[in-house]
């Protein structure tokens, strides 16, 4: 009887202990094992990223709480700073993102926004899903060429949504190794979501390679060389043989292609949704923007066109300042570099690698750089405003905002990103008047920082067609 009681007490004690641990780790903030320094001051960010660029150009090679690939396969964003990174980045910027090639995307952009406008039913809309869908299709066509099947793209978009949801679940408990054991099921869901996504992307790459092997290369939409085709030309240093180079494998191409699609589709979709939310919230800004758009010819599909519409450009920049789609940007710095630049670092930083997290939202809302930084005021980017001359990517002299990062690892898709946000916003404001939903009081501008900064509650608005 005594033994039974003891067993019962031990079981009860264990259950209570595990329950308390589970509870206490459930909402632990993400705190990687490395010492971490948060940078919110634009002047310190400028010193780190430009004055000490050699030390501050490496990103963590582990973007996710699970290392899916044993550290071997990466997108450009997680490739260590060095020759492989340089080769991959040069490939992307020399081909599909080169300013002279961006104009080739014009027909695809037109098709994407026309499809988006046609997909919106009048009255109450929740616009996030339609915007994402249009952008996923556009990015997929840029990767796989015109043969890509809409059903495959939708499957990829759905798998990506599941991946982001499971990512948020895992990030909520990341912090030490203990939660992994206690919340194993979350990690397994996350792992399964990644595997599914990789399988879909891998299958599309193989299909494209098959097409390339039997037909001409570069036969994509309007003469665009699809990203997958351009990856065939890339030769990375071969780890196994000194001074030798080799082609990428399909497994290595998958994270590059996935990164390309997600970076474009998710960041642009989030920015457009934020912009529309502010336009619904501030009808006078929307009126002013509509006047400019209405007086201009056609859609914005090139950077020069965006420059010739200063108010549209100002709305886009103001949105990116307040709600940078990538809210944190990390750098990993060796023991010898951590003290450079004047940031306050923990004592152990002189003995180990330190993670520096650049807080893009704090930097864009710094009250020394911007007056009333929490106010949405596009006028600040017009001539005579405090943001006159501030562009999407800062130069080495001064940092005021970093929506596309800064320094050597800044976003290579910044030009394309700006044009795409301008293009989609221009079409949606030209075609529709955007008003608050009848079902909610005002616009809820609460942010949610997942992998991307999104509106916590998707924008719900009432749209009516504009009279022409
Ligand atoms: C609104 C649109 C976009 C935003 C806000 C955005 C933002 C960013 C940010 C903040 C970074 C990190 C920069 C740093 O650490 O300094 C980044 C990196 C990157 N982005 Fe974008 N991005 C956008 C669109 C795109 C597009 C369209 C592409 C490609 C088609 C792209 C491809 C990349 C790549 C490959 C990197 C890694 C660069 C490297 O490590 O060298 N992005 N992006």
């Amino acid at each position: 009887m005594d033994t039974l009681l003891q067993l019962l007490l031990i079981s009860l004690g264990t259950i209570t202990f595990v329950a308390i641990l589970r509870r206490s780790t459930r909402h632990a903030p993400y705190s990687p094992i490395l010492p971490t320094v948060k940078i919110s001051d634009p002047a310190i960010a400028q010193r780190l990223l430009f004055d000490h660029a050699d030390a501050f150009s490496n990103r963590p090679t582990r973007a996710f709480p699970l290392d899916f690939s044993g550290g071997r396969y990466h997108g450009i964003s997680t490739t260590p700073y060095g020759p492989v990174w340089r080769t991959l980045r040069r490939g992307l910027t020399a081909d599909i993102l080169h300013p002279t090639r961006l104009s080739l995307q014009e027909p695809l952009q037109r098709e994407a926004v026309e499809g988006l406008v046609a997909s919106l039913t009048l009255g109450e809309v929740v616009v996030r899903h339609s915007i994402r869908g249009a952008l996923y299709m556009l990015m997929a066509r840029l990767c796989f060429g015109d043969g890509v099947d809409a059903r495959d793209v939708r499957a990829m978009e759905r798998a990506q949504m599941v991946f982001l949801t499971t990512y948020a679940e895992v990030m909520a408990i990341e912090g030490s190794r203990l939660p992994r054991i206690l919340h194993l099921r979350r990690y397994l869901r996350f792992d399964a979501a990644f595997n599914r996504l990789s399988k879909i992307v891998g299958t599309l790459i193989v299909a494209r390679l098959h097409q390339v092997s039997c037909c001409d290369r570069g036969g994509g939409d309007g003469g665009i060389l699809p990203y997958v085709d351009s990856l065939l030309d890339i030769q990375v240093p071969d780890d196994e043989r000194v001074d030798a180079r080799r082609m990428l494998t399909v497994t290595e191409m998958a994270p590059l292609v996935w990164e390309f699609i997600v970076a474009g589709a998710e960041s642009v979709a989030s920015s457009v949704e934020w912009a529309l939310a502010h336009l619904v919230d501030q009808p006078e800004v929307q009126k002013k923007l509509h006047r400019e758009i209405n007086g201009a010819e056609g859609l914005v599909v090139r950077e020069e066109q965006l420059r010739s519409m200063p108010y549209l450009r100002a709305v886009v920049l103001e949105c990116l300042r307040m709600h940078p789609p990538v809210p944190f940007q990390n750098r990993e710095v060796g023991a010898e570099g951590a003290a450079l630049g004047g940031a306050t670092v923990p004592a152990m930083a002189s003995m180990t690698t330190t993670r520096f997290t650049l807080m893009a939202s704090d930097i864009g809302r710094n009250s020394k750089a911007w007056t009333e930084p929490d106010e949405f005021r596009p006028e600040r980017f017009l001539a005579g405003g405090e943001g006159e001359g501030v562009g999407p990517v800062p130069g080495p002299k001064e940092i005021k905002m970093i929506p596309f990062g800064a320094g050597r690892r800044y976003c290579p898709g910044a030009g394309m990103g700006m044009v795409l946000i301008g293009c989609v916003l221009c079409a949606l404001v030209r075609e529709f008047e955007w008003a608050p939903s009848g079902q909610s009081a005002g616009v809820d501008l609460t942010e949610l920082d997942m992998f991307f900064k999104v509106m916590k509650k998707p924008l719900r608005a009432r749209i009516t067609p504009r009279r022409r």
Side-chain angles (χ1 to χ4, degrees), residues 49 57 59 75-79 85 89 92 96-97 139 142 227 256 259-269 271 320 324-331 358 360 402-414 416-418 420-421 452:
L49 295 174
S57 292
R59 282 237 196 74
I76 297 174
S77 52
T78 56
T79 298
W85 168 77
R89 182 162 169 134
L92 178 62
I96 203 156
L97 294 182
M139 298 308 288
L142 290 172
Y227 187 37
L256 293 166
E259 171 187 69
F260 181 96
I261 293 174
V262 168
E266 297 286 351
S267 312
V268 173
S271 299
L320 290 166
V326 180
F328 322 107
Q329 298 155 26
N330 289 320
R331 297 289 186 273
L358 297 141
I402 51 163
F404 293 99
R408 294 185 193 158
R409 300 297 289 252
Y410 83 91
C411 173
M416 179 173 162
M418 285 291 289
L420 280 180
I421 302 169
F452 297 98

Side-chain angles (χ1 to χ4, degrees), residues 112 116 119-121 125-135 157:
L116 169 60
S119 74
L120 294 177
T121 47
V125 289
V126 178
V127 76
R128 179 182 292 180
H129 181 63
S130 312
I131 298 174
R132 283 177 98 238
L135 287 163
E157 189 197 338

Side-chain angles (χ1 to χ4, degrees), residues 185-435:
R185 267 190 304 168
R186 289 195 198 186
Y187 282 90
L188 293 178
R189 273 202 299 272
F190 183 52
D191 194 38
F194 184 80
N195 287 339
R196 167 137 182 77
L197 195 54
S198 303
K199 196 167 162 209
I200 296 173
V201 175
T203 309
L204 286 169
I205 293 174
V206 171
R208 175 67 200 168
L209 294 182
H210 182 69
Q211 206 179 343
V212 168
S213 68
C214 64
C215 319
D216 281 345
R217 282 184 56 192
D221 283 297
I224 299 170
L225 185 71
Y227 187 37
V228 172
D229 297 21
S230 78
L231 292 176
L232 288 173
D233 293 331
I234 287 185
Q235 300 263 324
V236 287
D238 191 343
D239 295 345
E240 320 264 294
R241 291 172 302 145
V242 183
D243 289 338
R245 293 193 157 255
R246 61 172 180 83
M247 288 175 73
L248 295 169
T249 63
V250 171
T251 324
E252 287 168 321
M253 287 182 189
L256 293 166
V257 169
W258 171 68
E259 171 187 69
F260 181 96
I261 293 174
V262 168
E266 297 286 351
S267 312
V268 173
S270 134
S271 299
V272 172
E273 192 182 23
W274 278 116
L276 289 171
H278 282 289
L279 297 182
V280 170
D281 194 44
Q282 289 175 237
E284 67 290 356
V285 174
Q286 187 179 163
K287 249 188 218 138
K288 209 166 158 182
L289 179 61
H290 179 246
R291 259 202 307 278
E292 184 182 78
I293 289 174
N294 216 24
E297 288 278 307
L299 276 175
V300 171
V301 280
R302 283 195 302 274
E303 209 161 349
E304 312 87 79
Q305 286 167 306
L306 190 57
R307 286 193 176 279
S308 70
M309 296 171 82
Y311 200 65
L312 174 60
R313 189 167 182 274
V315 168
V316 174
L317 286 172
E318 181 66 342
C319 233
L320 290 166
R321 178 188 71 78
M322 288 184 76
H323 315 286
V326 180
F328 322 107
Q329 298 155 26
N330 289 320
R331 297 289 186 273
E332 236 167 58
V333 183
E336 67 293 345
L340 299 170
T344 312
V345 295
M348 68 188 293
S350 61
M351 290 175 282
T352 177
T353 302
T354 300
R355 174 170 297 188
F356 283 73
T357 300
L358 297 141
M359 311 297 287
S361 304
D362 294 355
I363 289 176
R365 293 189 190 217
N366 185 286
S367 57
K368 284 189 220 142
W370 303 100
T371 43
E372 300 196 69
D374 296 330
E375 295 292 313
F376 183 80
R377 211 180 279 166
E379 283 71 15
R380 60 175 104 232
F381 286 98
L382 297 179
E386 60 185 343
E388 182 184 7
V390 175
V393 180
K397 291 213 174 91
E398 187 188 30
I399 283 185
K400 288 188 106 177
M401 57 194 255
I402 51 163
F404 293 99
R408 294 185 193 158
R409 300 297 289 252
Y410 83 91
C411 173
M416 179 173 162
M418 285 291 289
V419 169
L420 280 180
I421 302 169
C423 173
V424 177
L425 200 55
C426 176
L428 292 178
V429 172
R430 176 173 287 155
E431 294 297 326
F432 306 110
E433 185 174 349
W434 294 77

